[in-house]
Amino acid sequence: MIRYQQEYSTSGSGLGCQISAYVLMMSLAADTDFNWSISSKDFNLLRNTFSGLSLVVDDSEQEYNDLELDDEVGYAQIKDSVKDKTRLFVYPTPANIASEHTDNIVESLQFRQDIVDKCRAFRDQFDGEVIAMHIRRGDFLELASGMFVCGNDYYTAALNELPNDIPVLIFTNDKDSVIADNQLIASNPSRFTFITDLYNDNEFINCDVGQELDSLIDNDGKYTQFNYMNGLTRMAHNELKEFARDTNGYTLDQLKTTIKELSTQLHPTYRQKIKSKSYNASYDLCLMSMCDYVIMANSTFSLWGATLGNPKKVIYPMYWMQGHPEHPEQGSALIKTDLGEFNQTASLAGSFITDKFIPLENPDPRSFEVVS
């Protein structure tokens, strides 16, 4: 038995990462004949997005030997390093998960039927072809993320590569700021549809507690681990922090009471959403896979959206990672504008890129900001 240890961060541990880790571990199981397991707290998004997964959930106190590998090692080195009773710590990337088993594993991934039905009903509202456009902002805007940010110039150029008279569905983890970015859709606002909450037929639910909970789940895997109860606990903790400053802290009973109070403020639709373990990311990815064209961000989420579907054309950014700065306190002065003619994405995700994929430069708009 081998074990995958999911690690959580403010970014990079969501559904795209979990699919990648699943593909990696299924390949290792095929090549080594070891069964593999996870803890019950892990792969929460994955388990509630797809049906029929080959997963062993094991919370027993088995002893494992920890193996931590750099994410730049390839699949072959990971395979050769894994032994029985290994607990594997490695961040899955398009470069290190690719094996001869990848295609078969990907073909086995089937979205939950209720997710498919909801997404298909929404997709069928549009006559003809549609474009999926993924905008990754939020955590990527932080210098410490080490990622390029795709600006409006990239998305405008990408749209120019595709039919100019068909609807565009915008998928994003940073809904409020992207929706408020009028420059992005200024040319033809009626063409664009922001995907907000497909569980509620793409309408915001009028519930402040629920919307804050959704935002936490979508953007804060480090603390919520993509679990609704953990999200409510985090919200209760945040509410009690001010109280704790004036006292010696708060008690467990006070935390439980606050969680209960927050729960009673949830709209009935949110309560049903939580009960059915339905997540925005699951619906977004499923609908993205139903689109005829995909404009990717430098994100495994949109890479999987393109891979799990059958798009006619995929536009992708050439520059993926900035690298982690040694002195982030110096701010945007350390941000690279571009990587010239180097197609970094192709070097990382070459096994996923077909002749349908078209690369575009994506200079980082933060590099043009004036630093005081």
Side-chain angles (χ1 to χ4, degrees):
M1 177 73 74
I2 58 178
R3 189 175 186 85
Y4 183 80
Q5 184 65 40
Q6 185 178 358
E7 298 182 86
Y8 297 92
S9 62
T10 53
S11 64
S13 49
L15 183 55
C17 172
Q18 291 181 27
I19 295 172
S20 299
Y22 178 79
V23 171
L24 170 64
M25 296 305 292
M26 290 296 291
S27 292
L28 290 174
D31 281 331
T32 64
D33 291 328
F34 295 134
N35 291 324
W36 68 284
S37 69
I38 58 171
S39 79
S40 59
K41 71 178 182 180
D42 292 335
F43 282 28
N44 198 48
L45 288 179
L46 183 84
R47 287 187 283 160
N48 290 298
T49 299
F50 300 101
S51 58
L53 296 173
S54 298
L55 283 172
V56 175
V57 177
D58 181 15
D59 286 330
S60 63
E61 297 296 326
Q62 290 194 48
E63 291 188 4
Y64 289 91
N65 299 310
D66 290 346
L67 174 63
E68 186 169 353
L69 298 174
D70 191 279
D71 59 18
E72 293 186 2
V73 305
Y75 174 77
Q77 185 174 340
I78 296 175
K79 180 184 68 174
D80 291 343
S81 302
V82 167
K83 310 298 180 186
D84 192 17
K85 300 297 183 182
T86 290
R87 177 163 49 197
L88 179 62
F89 292 77
V90 65
Y91 185 79
T93 71
N96 68 24
I97 68 171
S99 76
E100 62 179 303
H101 309 287
T102 301
D103 290 345
N104 288 336
I105 297 167
V106 171
E107 288 178 6
S108 73
L109 292 172
Q110 301 293 322
F111 288 98
R112 258 172 43 183
Q113 191 59 49
D114 58 318
I115 295 174
V116 172
D117 292 343
K118 179 71 76 171
C119 291
R120 176 55 61 191
F122 185 83
R123 169 65 181 85
D124 287 347
Q125 296 176 36
F126 299 89
D127 294 328
E129 299 176 332
V130 294
I131 297 169
M133 186 162 76
H134 183 216
I135 302 175
R136 182 67 184 266
R137 298 277 168 82
D139 51 300
F140 273 25
L141 295 174
E142 299 176 8
L143 186 62
S145 76
M147 304 297 289
F148 270 89
V149 170
C150 294
N152 291 346
D153 288 348
Y154 163 73
Y155 288 106
T156 300
L159 287 168
N160 288 337
E161 295 285 335
L162 302 176
N164 60 13
D165 57 351
I166 61 176
V168 180
L169 309 184
I170 298 180
F171 302 82
T172 179
N173 66 323
D174 195 5
K175 293 178 173 59
D176 290 341
S177 66
V178 172
I179 289 172
D181 186 358
N182 294 324
Q183 181 185 353
L184 188 66
I185 63 172
S187 61
N188 186 4
S190 62
R191 184 187 181 194
F192 297 88
T193 298
F194 288 95
I195 303 304
T196 54
D197 190 340
L198 289 169
Y199 183 84
N200 195 45
D201 301 318
N202 208 41
E203 297 288 341
F204 275 121
I205 303 172
N206 186 19
C207 174
D208 290 342
V209 172
Q211 289 181 20
E212 183 179 349
L213 179 60
D214 261 350
S215 181
L216 272 176
I217 294 296
D218 289 346
N219 297 296
D220 199 356
K222 181 177 181 179
Y223 293 105
T224 68
Q225 298 179 342
F226 310 103
N227 179 294
Y228 281 119
M229 182 51 65
N230 289 354
L232 285 169
T233 302
R234 183 69 177 169
M235 290 172 63
H237 165 75
N238 290 339
E239 280 200 11
L240 289 167
K241 276 198 302 188
E242 288 298 325
F243 170 80
R245 286 194 183 99
D246 299 328
T247 64
N248 292 324
Y250 56 83
T251 66
L252 180 59
D253 284 343
Q254 287 171 317
L255 182 66
K256 290 179 178 179
T257 298
T258 306
I259 293 171
K260 185 175 181 179
E261 290 172 352
L262 289 170
S263 299
T264 61
Q265 297 175 44
L266 285 169
H267 188 280
T269 304
Y270 266 114
R271 293 178 193 165
Q272 185 58 40
K273 186 177 182 180
I274 293 170
K275 183 178 179 180
S276 63
K277 297 183 178 179
S278 298
Y279 292 86
N280 290 339
S282 306
Y283 289 88
D284 286 3
L285 189 69
C286 182
L287 179 59
M288 190 182 297
S289 73
M290 295 179 177
C291 294
D292 303 278
Y293 303 92
V294 176
I295 299 175
M296 285 177 45
N298 49 326
S299 165
T300 54
F301 185 85
S302 48
L303 180 61
W304 283 118
T307 301
L308 292 171
N310 187 29
K312 298 177 179 179
K313 190 179 290 186
V314 179
I315 311 298
Y316 73 93
M318 289 172 56
Y319 317 132
W320 193 279
M321 295 184 299
Q322 286 270 350
H324 295 285
E326 294 181 5
H327 305 289
E329 69 276 2
Q330 294 181 20
S332 58
L334 292 174
I335 295 175
K336 301 181 185 76
T337 300
D338 57 54
L339 299 177
E341 296 181 358
F342 176 47
N343 189 338
Q344 185 188 48
T345 301
S347 73
L348 293 170
S351 62
F352 292 87
I353 292 175
T354 69
D355 56 3
K356 296 180 180 180
F357 283 65
I358 298 174
L360 280 185
E361 295 180 352
N362 54 302
D364 196 314
R366 296 173 298 171
S367 65
F368 299 104
E369 296 175 0
V370 176
V371 180
S372 58

